[in-house]
Amino acid sequence: MSGPQDREPVGATHGRRETVRRTVSCRPAAWPGSVRRDKGEPGEACLAPTKTVLGALALLAVSLIAQAAPESTGALYVTAGEVHTGASQVFRPGAVSVVDGKIVAVGRPDDVAVPPGARRIDAGTNASIVPGLVAAQTEHVSKGDDDPNTVAPDVRAIDGYDFAAPETKLLAAGITTVFISPGSNRVVSGRGAVVKTAGASRESRTLRADAGLVAGIGESVSRPPSVIDPPVEPDATNAPLTPWRRQFPVTRAGSLMLLRQFLDGGKAADVTQRSTEMRIGADSAGDIEAALAFQKERGVRVVLVGCRDANALAEAIAKSALPVVLRWPFASGRVSAGWDAEHEKSLLAARRNPAFLDGAGVAFALAASDESALPDLLFVAASAARLGLDPDKALASVTSQAASVLGVGDRVGTIAAGRDADLVVLSGRPADLRTFALTTIVDGDVVWERKATGGTVVVRAAQIHLGDGRVVAPGEVAFEDGKIVDVGATVGVPPGARFIDLGEGSVMPGLIDAFSRAGLAGLGGRPTGDLSTAVTAAKGLSAKDDSFALLAAHGVTSALVAPGGGGRVGGRASVVRTAGGDMTKRVLLDDAGLVVRLRGERDIAAAVKEFEDALKRVKEYRESLEKYDKQLKEYEAWKKARDEEEAKKKAAAAAAAAAAAAKPKEEPKKDEAKQEEPPKKEEPPKKDPPKPGDAKDEKPPEKPPEKPPEKPVEKKEEKAPEEKEEPKKPKTDEALAGWFPVLDRKVPVFIQARTVEEIRAALALVEGEWKLRVVLVGADDARHVAAAIERAKAGVVASPVAMTEERGRPVNLLRELAMSGLPAAIGSDSWLGGAELPDVLAYAVARGLSPAAAVRLASGDAAKLLGIDARTGTIAPGRDADLVLLTGEPFGRASQIRAVFVGGEEVSLDGR
């Protein structure tokens, strides 16, 4: 069938695997989680046909077909890491050639010729090709529910199948052939059929229009609906309308009785004559036993369907030699347990039915639990393999064996010359629970291809270098939305993911140039003068600078950009990505530290004093700002208190004025004023005149004591509140302010120091008054003072020199540094030289540095040293997807960069 809605253009590749082509051998590809074996060990048998016999026949067949149809456009050539024929034969690697809808040859790529003009699909070394899946039991289209009778032999599933309806869900699941049932809840539901899910016409898609009689016994058919049999001519007297007529059966015995009556009635001569089969649905042990007895009694061809309790009767089923369509007991991805404990136990036990039946020698096909689980048929087979069934037989149960049970094994279910070219390209091994279909082919036509719509990218490789010294081999890494989401021997793979299959290649974190001049071409790469610390380097970088694209193309995904270079203090460095849009989006660390140069100074003490004098000026400036801040706070507190006091006084005065204005004046009433008389003046009592002789007894009146004069009350003069002046802010100096993070130890000082004397002078800044964080840049002699560097907890950025000689002995500087245990990285100290860092590291690897240590030095250790390890430097969930994909081992002689991702976006490898 053509034209599914999610089918991609023929030339689309992002829905398929991308692969690095390599020389193939008989040895199987390394699979995630597998154990590698040396050649000749068990498990490495090459199942390919010999070149002298089968290979020659295949070439001859292709030649003859090409001569017969030289202009044919129906040719196809598909290769993958494995080809599973469906008949327990595996080719590693494998290829399938197709001409005019038929398989011409299958085998190893060296043995299978490419048909002329064939479209080629290279699925990748970890992909696999299997036959189109065969669903041996479905009811997803045609059902017999329209006929209410419990025996409805005339219902044909093929008549109700809509050949025009797209089977997109089934094709996306790799299902190319299905048995369609007319129903399953009647003693006789009708006639089934076998059809393809895609094809050019109704005729080409119909494999069996009549695929046997569908019947059932037991509980599934014990509740048929009641029916009404209306008379042809209603007559209230002779043919009255009756109530609903109850149908049988309600028991297993009733079901078998109806089946016997049906067969005895002669309506199923093809069944009684064994020219077609009867599919009997039986789940419980009792139902299975009854079905076996019925088959023995009647001698008809029977296919058992369902068989939930087959594990208890495996030997009996094997003795009967009846094929089985085994229904998986659970729907995928959800819990459906009820309250019946015994029923739940039987379902759990049924998971091992495939292994039991296979052990007993029963031919069976696996089917999904119900219609909703039909697209999970491949998962069902993988689940059976997980629970003890041989993986090859699990695949056969949904391909070749299923086709044989359905009677169409001569057409589909197996990848073999002459069979229909119904193929499925899978994302991994068929028995892997995570595997899903990538491409579905019916009759040689690509009818469905999975789109990479989920945004997830999965990279598979022989080695995944995590950046911390560890290696996962083989391994996978998945990332989406610019972030790594999973890494390990195997990862979760959502459908729609884009695959990149590196085969024997490797993945490592993006490299970090820990001391670079990249992006400074616009500034000439030259210093802007001493104390040029007003702004960070990121403010002056151009995203279009040629150096960034060049670095990214060579695997350097991040760089510390160090401005300056001629003065004592170069400026403030920044860490940026080498790709990913404008600079505002690419800055990982705006203020990464201060760049200072001591290297090459003749007078080291004077150089250190000059730097310390600068530190003193910074300290004085900071103290002046701190003093100003303190005074400003005091002034603001005083001003606030004064303003509050004045506000209170103003409020009190306003309240008093308002109260006075609101109080009324009292005036005497006129009537009361007239009636009032002034109070009478009281006269003193009259005294008798003194008698003679009384004078001597009289005493002169005593004068009242004189009161001391009252002192005038002195009014206290209110003092005016003390006035304060607002402090004057010191003159702003952004250049000096740029040093503050250094004094606070928030960022390090990158001190360029090469010799032992220069290194010791730099370390004095850690141990002395200033106690700075120091990173030594270009410290070639660091190995001679490693103990002092370790005590100072300083870091080292190695110069881009791998080897040196010391007393006539070659010394691998990078190996010495990597083994020292010091926080370390490597920097180019160059505008464009970062692109050469992989070559320098490769040279160090060739002279004794391990590849894992080289990766760690230039990624994980560098990120930790620069303070960006929470974002990048290692391959771990949550980190930015900064990755380098290689065709071989990191820094190997023949290893090349396959792709580079910065923040999850693939960059151009041409350096533009």
Side-chain angles (χ1 to χ4, degrees), residues 332-641:
S332 305
R334 65 178 185 269
V335 172
S336 57
W339 293 95
D340 189 336
E342 292 302 320
H343 179 69
E344 184 66 17
K345 289 179 181 178
S346 69
L347 291 179
L348 291 171
R351 296 182 302 171
R352 298 192 179 274
N353 279 340
F356 277 116
L357 292 183
D358 178 62
V362 176
F364 66 92
L366 266 176
S369 61
D370 55 34
E371 211 60 33
S372 65
L374 189 56
D376 298 316
L377 186 59
L378 185 64
F379 179 83
V380 167
S383 298
R386 185 168 64 96
L387 291 167
L389 182 63
D390 178 80
D392 288 336
K393 293 183 178 180
L395 177 62
S397 72
V398 293
T399 55
S400 59
Q401 194 62 55
S404 178
V405 169
L406 295 183
V408 292
D410 60 334
R411 293 279 304 275
V412 299
T414 307
I415 300 179
R419 297 291 198 276
D420 293 357
D422 295 354
L423 310 171
V424 183
V425 178
L426 300 177
S427 61
R429 280 185 167 179
D432 189 337
L433 291 172
R434 309 167 308 147
T435 295
F436 52 85
L438 295 174
T439 304
T440 302
I441 300 167
V442 176
D443 293 333
D445 290 332
V446 176
V447 295
W448 183 87
E449 290 182 288
R450 187 173 297 278
K451 293 180 179 179
T453 56
T456 303
V457 179
V458 177
V459 185
R460 288 173 171 171
Q463 296 181 355
I464 306 291
H465 287 253
L466 302 183
D468 57 4
R470 296 178 297 162
V471 181
V472 180
E476 302 173 349
V477 57
F479 60 92
E480 60 186 41
D481 297 328
K483 297 289 184 180
I484 296 169
V485 295
D486 205 356
V487 62
T490 58
V491 301
V493 182
R498 172 191 175 191
F499 283 92
I500 302 177
D501 184 359
L502 298 178
E504 295 301 317
S506 62
V507 183
M508 67 179 182
L511 304 182
I512 300 172
D513 188 345
F515 199 82
S516 170
R517 308 293 183 177
L520 294 174
L523 304 177
R526 298 184 177 86
T528 55
D530 291 351
L531 297 178
S532 57
T533 56
V535 295
T536 60
K539 302 297 190 297
L541 299 180
S542 169
K544 298 180 179 180
D545 191 292
D546 292 340
S547 59
F548 286 134
L550 192 66
L551 265 60
H554 288 79
V556 178
T557 60
S558 303
L560 177 133
V561 179
R568 177 77 54 235
V569 178
R572 292 155 66 188
S574 300
V575 181
V576 299
R577 283 176 170 163
T578 56
D582 59 51
M583 289 309 304
T584 60
K585 298 177 181 177
R586 289 162 58 173
V587 175
L588 294 175
L589 194 59
D590 183 53
D591 192 353
L594 195 67
V595 179
V596 176
R597 183 178 60 80
L598 292 181
R599 185 176 58 199
E601 292 294 333
R602 296 181 179 179
D603 191 342
I604 299 298
V608 172
K609 184 178 183 304
E610 181 183 347
F611 178 65
E612 289 186 323
D613 288 343
L615 286 172
K616 290 177 181 178
R617 292 198 300 274
V618 174
K619 184 178 180 182
E620 291 171 357
Y621 175 62
R622 179 166 184 167
E623 289 174 348
S624 68
L625 292 179
E626 292 173 347
K627 181 179 179 182
Y628 165 73
D629 289 340
K630 181 179 179 181
Q631 291 175 346
L632 182 61
K633 288 180 180 179
E634 292 176 351
Y635 170 76
E636 289 176 345
W638 168 84
K639 187 174 180 296
K640 181 179 179 182

Side-chain angles (χ1 to χ4, degrees), residues 237-252:
T237 302
N238 300 315
L241 290 175
T242 58
W244 289 95
R245 174 174 58 83
R246 185 179 181 186
Q247 293 194 98
F248 294 98
V250 294
T251 63
R252 183 188 306 133

Side-chain angles (χ1 to χ4, degrees), residues 136-137 184 215 220 279-284 287-288 303-311 317 323-329 347 350 353-354 357 364-369:
Q137 174 66 27
S184 60
S220 64
R279 295 167 62 96
I280 300 179
D283 282 327
S284 69
D287 294 342
I288 297 172
V303 176
L304 298 177
V305 180
C307 297
R308 183 193 64 222
D309 294 342
N311 52 80
I317 297 173
V324 174
V325 175
L326 191 63
R327 195 187 298 272
W328 189 248
L347 291 179
N353 279 340
L357 292 183
F364 66 92
L366 266 176
S369 61

Side-chain angles (χ1 to χ4, degrees), residues 180-192:
I180 53 176
S181 173
S184 60
N185 59 348
R186 303 286 188 271
V187 173
V188 177
S189 296
R191 301 278 179 165

Side-chain angles (χ1 to χ4, degrees), residues 223-235:
R223 290 185 293 274
S226 297
V227 296
I228 292 179
D229 296 324
V232 177
E233 295 181 1
D235 185 338

